[in-house]
Amino acid sequence: MPSKLSVHELLSRKGQQKWLQMHVDSGAEAAACVEAGIRVLSCEPDHTLEPIRAAAPGAFISAGMPHGSVASATEAVREGFRILERGADAVYCSQSPTFIEAMAHEGIPVTGHVGLVPNLAAWTGFRAIGKTADEALKVLSKVRELESAGAAFIEVEVVPVELADYITRSTRAITMGMGCGDVCDTQYLFSSDVLGTHSGHYPRHAKRYADFVALEAELQVKRVTAFRAFAEDVQAGSYPQGGHEVRMDAAAYDDFQTRADTF
């Protein structure tokens, strides 16, 4: 089994290796990623973090700090350390560089985000970011701000390939690329898109390799069939049967009843 993937190893191999990355929602998905050779993971810092860590002890995990969950640099540092203590290797933060700088100053590895940032999409809309020179320069300026703040990793989402390539070549941070070709340091997707777990909108950069919606529908039919059969058995008196029960022998029950009547 490979040794645990560290911040140092990722940074030291920048430009030498492309990494596979997946956002996972459960320990089962994390274990499947590791078995498939995917060693860079991201997740939410909710109840799934500990099971994901346990299922993928050698993986690198960036766990997201919920946007707006901290309102000061001090709170960011406290929450960042808490997320690390729970098993993450880095803390994703889509808030301002002020918060990122405070965490980085204390040695917390931080993942920033440029391009299409869903938490900030009220200002941009859900679209590709950086297709004009002016907008591309704004994205690059944000990268420089994150760099100066000390971010070790930068998620680059839905920007033109040319811009993503320029950013990756010109920053010392590890770029985590989603929807911007194959030029970033990681190739990043969400497990929900790869597994086809929902029937709603799928982004252009997503590719479904499975249809879990159909599988879940099939499982639901089997659940209903099994529960209905149980209900019918109970109503018909065919469940439970002797093999499903524990009985006292007659002498033990007589002894119990005699003593219980005077208890």
Side-chain angles (χ1 to χ4, degrees):
M1 179 181 293
S3 60
K4 186 175 185 301
L5 187 57
S6 67
V7 175
H8 173 74
E9 183 176 358
L10 284 166
L11 291 173
S12 65
R13 295 171 71 175
K14 181 178 172 65
Q16 303 173 34
Q17 181 171 348
K18 299 281 187 180
W19 302 90
L20 297 169
Q21 180 173 0
M22 191 72 63
H23 184 95
V24 294
D25 297 315
S26 68
E29 289 184 357
C33 280
V34 172
E35 190 169 343
I38 301 171
R39 299 179 62 201
V40 180
L41 306 177
S42 66
C43 69
E44 301 302 320
D46 55 16
H47 65 283
T48 62
L49 175 52
E50 284 84 359
I52 288 169
R53 175 81 282 168
F60 175 89
I61 299 174
S62 176
M65 178 182 291
H67 192 77
S69 62
V70 295
S72 70
T74 300
E75 289 179 2
V77 171
R78 184 181 297 112
E79 179 64 10
F81 277 125
R82 190 181 73 85
I83 291 172
L84 294 185
E85 288 168 0
R86 294 179 58 209
D89 299 293
V91 177
Y92 167 92
C93 180
S94 58
Q95 292 184 225
S96 76
T98 301
F99 297 89
I100 292 173
E101 183 173 21
M103 287 189 283
H105 184 74
E106 297 301 328
I108 298 171
V110 183
T111 301
H113 197 165
V114 300
L116 173 56
V117 184
N119 290 321
L120 303 175
W123 299 96
T124 63
F126 285 90
R127 61 176 178 84
I129 307 296
K131 294 177 69 175
T132 67
D134 286 345
E135 195 168 67
L137 286 169
K138 290 180 181 178
V139 174
L140 182 61
S141 176
K142 180 65 179 294
V143 170
R144 297 293 181 251
E145 288 179 1
L146 294 175
E147 266 188 328
S148 296
F153 310 93
I154 301 175
E155 182 176 341
V156 183
E157 183 170 352
V158 194
V159 306
V161 174
E162 297 84 356
L163 176 57
D165 183 43
Y166 185 92
I167 290 169
T168 299
R169 288 186 290 105
S170 64
T171 181
R172 62 182 180 275
I174 294 293
T175 57
M176 298 171 162
M178 182 181 292
C180 47
D182 63 353
V183 296
C184 292
D185 295 309
T186 80
Q187 186 64 64
Y188 184 20
L189 279 179
F190 274 58
S191 62
S192 57
D193 293 335
V194 172
L195 298 176
T197 61
H198 55 94
S199 57
H201 171 73
Y202 282 81
R204 179 172 58 183
H205 59 264
K207 182 174 180 179
R208 279 173 278 183
Y209 291 84
D211 187 354
F212 273 43
V213 169
L215 290 173
E216 181 58 36
E218 183 179 344
L219 284 173
Q220 186 67 3
V221 169
K222 292 182 181 297
R223 290 185 187 103
V224 172
T225 299
F227 293 157
R228 182 173 288 129
F230 163 70
E232 291 172 351
D233 272 1
V234 172
Q235 291 167 358
S238 56
Y239 178 87
Q241 297 178 347
H244 305 118
E245 300 170 341
V246 177
R247 294 277 184 170
M248 298 173 70
D249 63 49
Y253 182 70
D254 286 344
D255 182 31
F256 159 76
Q257 189 172 31
T258 298
R259 295 162 65 183
D261 289 343
T262 59
F263 194 68

